[in-house]
Amino acid sequence: MGAGRDRIGVHRIRNCWALRREGLKGLWVDAEVAAGDSPALVLTGSRRGRAEIPLTDIRRIRASLDEGKFRWLDSFRCLIWCDDGRKFVLVPKSLGNVSYRDLILEIARGMKRVGRFDRVERGQQVWEAALYSVFMVAMALLIAYAGYDSLKIYGSTRTSDIVFACITGGFSLLLLVGSVAIWGDKKRPRPVRSFKDLRGVLP
């Protein structure tokens, strides 16, 4: 691990295209935070390849959670941008959420030790949050137009049409509120306030 370093723990994560691009080969990657004189995140491919990321060279690290319909469908990801232009993506293996969570928390602790905790963020990419919001606004407008078109064609004297318009209007309002919530504090990228805040986007 190099002079003046201590091994804290090894965490196994899934290999992905972004890591393979950096020369890490195999089905999985062993990740560990080496502490000491020059703390770094060290990634080692299960077959071959090794990448070392000094914590002082990390420009930004962002953990995100993409919530599924059910808890077991949640998708976790952590992006790391380096000062030298390299970009790494850390994702958990199947049934490896605990190892992934411990790794991200260990990286965050290391960032705090080197005085760069302000570079630890949570949230999705800006374009991802914007895409979800725009989709929900579009759905709200479509549903609202369906209710308006019903009243326009059949007139507003029929009780069933009025009820249909009210229901579609309610759904439209709900989608608009949801689009605001998505763009709000929950999904938009922002620096974490504490380790408890970071755990909110971890398994």
Side-chain angles (χ1 to χ4, degrees):
M1 295 300 298
R5 285 184 178 171
D6 301 315
R7 299 185 68 171
I8 295 178
V10 179
H11 310 278
R12 184 158 291 179
I13 58 176
R14 178 163 58 90
N15 202 355
C16 61
W17 180 83
L19 297 182
R20 290 189 177 94
R21 183 184 58 190
E22 297 296 331
L24 304 177
K25 306 300 181 182
L27 296 177
W28 68 83
V29 170
D30 288 329
E32 56 184 315
V33 178
D37 297 336
S38 53
L41 171 64
V42 180
L43 305 175
T44 307
S46 59
R47 285 179 54 199
R48 66 176 183 274
R50 185 174 182 274
E52 184 171 320
I53 312 167
L55 299 187
T56 53
D57 291 344
I58 294 179
R59 185 171 76 248
R60 188 166 68 254
I61 173 174
R62 182 184 299 157
S64 65
L65 161 64
D66 189 3
E67 295 177 314
K69 188 174 182 180
F70 303 101
R71 181 68 177 173
W72 56 275
L73 289 176
D74 290 349
S75 176
F76 303 93
R77 180 184 63 184
C78 182
L79 304 177
I80 298 177
W81 291 269
C82 301
D83 289 335
D84 59 8
R86 292 184 298 170
K87 181 179 179 181
F88 296 86
V89 181
L90 311 180
V91 291
K93 287 177 82 272
S94 178
L95 303 178
N97 284 345
V98 174
S99 183
Y100 166 83
R101 179 198 63 202
D102 294 343
L103 171 63
I104 303 307
L105 289 174
E106 193 57 54
I107 295 174
R109 294 188 189 101
M111 295 291 285
K112 188 171 185 177
R113 285 194 293 269
V114 298
R116 292 199 167 196
F117 191 69
D118 60 323
R119 302 183 182 220
V120 180
E121 300 179 352
R122 58 169 287 174
Q124 296 180 337
Q125 301 248 56
V126 174
W127 68 266
E128 290 177 313
L131 182 63
Y132 281 119
S133 295
V134 170
F135 175 75
M136 295 186 73
V137 169
M139 288 295 296
L141 293 175
L142 182 63
I143 293 174
Y145 179 78
Y148 167 77
D149 194 53
S150 176
L151 291 179
K152 182 179 178 181
I153 294 175
Y154 299 107
S156 59
T157 57
R158 293 173 53 179
T159 303
S160 59
D161 293 331
I162 296 176
V163 171
F164 177 73
C166 291
I167 292 175
T168 54
F171 273 119
S172 299
L173 182 61
L174 184 63
L175 287 172
L176 288 174
V177 172
S179 69
V180 174
I182 286 177
W183 187 247
D185 186 64
K186 191 173 184 180
K187 290 186 179 294
R188 66 175 175 81
R190 62 167 177 79
V192 299
R193 304 184 184 97
S194 62
F195 286 102
K196 182 179 179 180
D197 188 26
L198 177 61
R199 289 188 182 97
V201 291
L202 298 179

